[in-house]
Amino acid sequence: MELQEKLQAAIDNNLSGNTSMSKEGVYEFQSAAVCVDNSSGNVAAIVGSRSQDLKGYTLNRAYQSYRQPGSSIKPLIVYTPYLQKEKTPDSVVEDFPIENGPKNADGTYAGTITLREAVKWSKNTVAWNIYQEITPRAGATFLLNMGFHKVWMDKEYNAVALGGFTYGVSTEEMAGAYAVLANDGVYKRTTCIRKIINSSGKTVVDEDNRSSVRIFDINSCRMMTDMLKTVIESGTGTNAQVENAIVAGKTGTTNDDKDAWFCGYSKYYTTAVWVGYDMPRTIAAGGKYTAAIWSDFMSSVHEKLEKVEFPPYSKEKSEETVKKTEAAGQNTETA
């Protein structure tokens, strides 16, 4: 409950200046966020709206609203799968205008750059080209293997590389998926349930002992984490810096700025934050809200925790890593 209260407070405090109400008396500018305990895969905190005294049923946006994730999806379906193809943060990629393709958010193109720079500045052209190489069908399968519910109909479309889904994703799904990166590629289904015991005292559901699945190889996740650290240290996510923890994360903004995200993690916790309107419309500087909510919450939950560094990645593919990469790829293709 302590983490739950901290997450609710981070949302309420950072959105307090937005007071417009719908005709039903609900705050129009909303947020949702989910925090996952990396050690267990369990939901540690889940907030589906700003605090309000409302009668009757209310929408929990954290798991009932599906929204476009923008660039926050790139590490999950573009960059980490690409790293499994024996790429590294130093691999060279091309950032040039694409005819009839996406534009970079800042309107600039850097030419030949490293993958780290492409992630750091969230280059849409690079993600688009890589996803074509991986193929949308293979990329979408990674999401399906991590429990994403409404993405199966998008497995033929390259727009997914930039977060262009038919329905979108939830903060619960995004937190669970980013926790996979924090956990060296192992997925444990995100859940709010520990156990269900019937009236006779028999355990009928035991989520503490649920199985886990390998999604990515270890070294690719560690390389991805190292690049996502750079995003926060000196890239698009500098507003999400946390003084008392070592963190990695990614921004996400959609076309016309209708949805804003920040997803990231420490060794202890993974948190995904969304802000926007229930009936999508343009947000002024939405990214500043998501970064502030994420930073405030993560700072508060790490107050009494030791500052722990992420394990380093290997710059050379070992035989064991290659085998794990190949096995993960085979599992993904057949799942």
Side-chain angles (χ1 to χ4, degrees):
M1 285 307 298
E2 182 181 356
L3 266 66
Q4 180 73 18
E5 291 166 1
K6 287 178 183 292
L7 186 54
Q8 186 72 69
I11 288 174
D12 291 343
N13 293 340
N14 282 287
L15 301 188
S16 61
N18 297 271
T19 58
S20 63
M21 299 272 191
S22 69
K23 62 182 180 181
E24 292 81 18
V26 178
Y27 283 123
E28 291 187 302
F29 191 49
Q30 280 291 347
S31 180
V34 173
C35 174
V36 171
D37 184 333
N38 294 337
S39 64
S40 65
N42 293 342
V43 170
I46 180 167
V47 173
S49 67
R50 296 167 63 180
S51 293
Q52 270 190 280
D53 290 326
L54 299 171
K55 293 182 179 180
Y57 173 80
T58 58
L59 177 67
N60 190 315
R61 296 164 185 81
Y63 72 96
Q64 292 177 312
S65 289
Y66 290 80
R67 304 298 292 244
Q68 304 301 324
S71 293
S72 64
I73 204 68
K74 292 174 183 175
L76 305 176
I77 60 173
V78 178
Y79 293 127
T80 308
Y82 189 59
L83 291 167
Q84 294 198 148
K85 298 170 73 68
E86 299 193 37
K87 306 296 182 181
T88 74
D90 297 322
S91 293
V92 174
V93 292
E94 303 291 331
D95 176 31
F96 293 103
I98 301 172
E99 186 176 356
N100 299 320
K103 296 177 173 60
N104 288 331
D106 61 4
T108 66
Y109 302 88
T112 300
I113 57 175
T114 64
L115 189 63
R116 184 185 296 278
E117 287 294 305
V119 174
K120 176 180 174 179
W121 299 116
S122 199
K123 295 293 188 177
N124 289 335
T125 57
V126 175
W128 182 271
N129 289 332
I130 289 175
Y131 202 58
Q132 283 187 317
E133 180 181 335
I134 294 170
T135 74
R137 182 174 287 271
T141 303
F142 284 100
L143 295 186
L144 292 170
N145 288 348
M146 291 187 286
F148 283 71
H149 297 89
K150 297 197 175 192
V151 301
W152 62 269
M153 69 283 289
D154 298 307
K155 59 183 180 291
E156 304 293 343
Y157 305 119
N158 219 69
V160 170
L162 311 180
F165 292 89
T166 301
Y167 290 104
V169 299
S170 70
T171 52
E172 180 190 25
E173 292 173 333
M174 292 295 281
Y178 268 75
V180 172
L181 300 178
N183 286 325
D184 281 342
V186 175
Y187 170 70
K188 207 167 193 178
R189 181 169 48 79
T190 307
T191 181
C192 295
I193 297 171
R194 295 284 303 278
K195 289 185 179 181
I196 298 175
I197 300 172
N198 67 15
S199 58
S200 301
K202 180 182 178 182
T203 299
V204 292
V205 174
D206 183 2
E207 292 289 4
D208 284 341
N209 294 305
R210 66 191 182 280
S211 60
S212 58
V213 179
R214 174 159 294 285
I215 304 296
F216 305 115
D217 74 60
I218 295 171
N219 206 41
S220 295
C221 288
R222 293 181 178 182
M223 287 190 284
M224 190 72 252
T225 295
D226 197 68
M227 289 190 287
L228 293 177
K229 283 177 60 181
T230 304
V231 170
I232 293 179
E233 290 166 357
S234 57
T236 60
T238 53
N239 289 335
Q241 291 179 0
V242 177
E243 292 294 329
N244 58 347
I246 296 170
V247 293
K250 183 73 183 72
T251 54
T253 306
T254 60
N255 285 350
D256 302 320
D257 298 321
K258 292 181 178 179
D259 296 274
W261 293 73
F262 196 91
C263 304
Y265 49 93
S266 68
K267 281 296 292 178
Y268 299 101
Y269 295 106
T270 298
T271 304
V273 179
W274 165 86
V275 300
Y277 294 89
D278 290 333
M279 296 298 292
R281 66 184 200 233
T282 299
I283 310 163
K288 82 173 183 181
Y289 294 108
T290 53
I293 292 168
W294 192 88
S295 177
D296 286 357
F297 172 70
M298 292 293 272
S299 294
S300 67
V301 300
H302 287 85
E303 285 176 352
K304 298 178 182 179
L305 297 175
E306 180 184 354
K307 203 171 184 178
V308 179
E309 179 60 274
F310 296 107
Y313 67 87
S314 172
K315 295 186 178 181
E316 295 183 5
K317 288 274 188 179
S318 66
E319 184 178 346
E320 179 184 3
T321 301
V322 171
K323 287 180 179 178
K324 286 181 178 178
T325 300
E326 291 174 347
Q330 290 168 1
N331 290 340
T332 298
E333 289 167 4
T334 57

